[in-house]
Amino acid sequence: MTDCCRRALVEAIHSSPTQAVIYLSGGASQALGWLMSVPGASNTVLESVVTYSRMSMIQLLGKVPAQAASSQTAEEMALLAYNRALKLSKPGSPVLGVGFTGALASAQPKRGDHRFHVSTRTSDRFWTSTVTLTKGLRTREQEDGVSSQYLIKLFICVSYN
């Protein structure tokens, strides 16, 4: 995705009335930078949290997850993000909770697949997807870029549907 295209998507996200809380773990970190670097971010992003350590994830969820990088954990994070967004948003505003977990390329080779799970929650919709990446094809930065682009595109879909 070109910088111009990405900026246009982020501008469209910010022009939507949807306000969001975003919880990330294990990837999609570039998406936060993209969202925050375009004017209007304060209209959209109510809060973002990166739960990178095990203890941070446990404290967010209130329990030890069965698996940190899983669709179940992403779904739990999205529900928590949605409930938090309800508390932080302007009354009557549409809100979005986003949960993202990833197992991307790292310094230590992964035993399992390189993958990420994204879940979104709105007042009337709950959606989860899993993407498996080809192991060894991309660097960590590239895998983070892929997951970040996916998150931005998903954000636009949810904001306008």
Side-chain angles (χ1 to χ4, degrees):
M1 180 182 337
T2 65
D3 288 344
C4 183
C5 179
R6 184 173 44 246
R7 183 178 180 87
L9 287 174
V10 173
E11 287 173 347
I13 290 167
H14 292 336
S15 69
S16 161
T18 302
Q19 297 185 297
V21 170
I22 305 163
Y23 291 156
L24 306 177
S25 182
S29 61
Q30 294 173 52
L32 289 180
W34 299 336
L35 285 168
M36 304 306 279
S37 67
V38 174
S42 62
N43 297 328
T44 304
V45 181
L46 297 168
E47 180 175 86
S48 63
V49 175
V50 179
T51 59
Y52 224 76
S53 74
R54 177 174 164 76
M55 189 52 67
S56 179
M57 177 65 80
I58 291 168
Q59 288 185 10
L60 176 69
L61 298 175
K63 65 177 186 174
V64 176
Q67 185 176 13
S70 69
S71 58
Q72 178 182 348
T73 301
E75 290 170 3
E76 291 172 9
M77 292 169 74
L79 179 58
L80 290 167
Y82 175 76
N83 288 332
R84 179 78 172 144
L86 287 172
K87 293 177 185 174
L88 298 175
S89 65
K90 298 173 191 166
S93 293
V95 298
L96 169 65
V98 178
F100 175 98
T101 64
L104 306 180
S106 63
Q108 301 298 318
K110 298 264 186 256
R111 291 177 296 189
D113 290 330
H114 292 196
R115 66 196 184 284
F116 59 88
H117 312 272
V118 186
S119 186
T120 59
R121 176 72 145 201
T122 64
S123 63
D124 62 350
R125 219 180 242 159
F126 189 53
W127 188 81
T128 304
S129 67
T130 295
V131 175
T132 302
L133 302 167
T134 303
K135 204 171 188 176
L137 182 64
R138 298 174 187 88
T139 65
R140 169 57 183 240
E141 183 178 10
Q142 291 168 331
E143 288 187 354
D144 190 83
V146 168
S147 62
S148 294
Q149 288 179 34
Y150 189 91
L151 186 62
I152 292 295
K153 289 176 183 177
L154 176 62
F155 209 115
I156 196 88
C157 290
V158 173
S159 295
Y160 284 96
N161 287 320

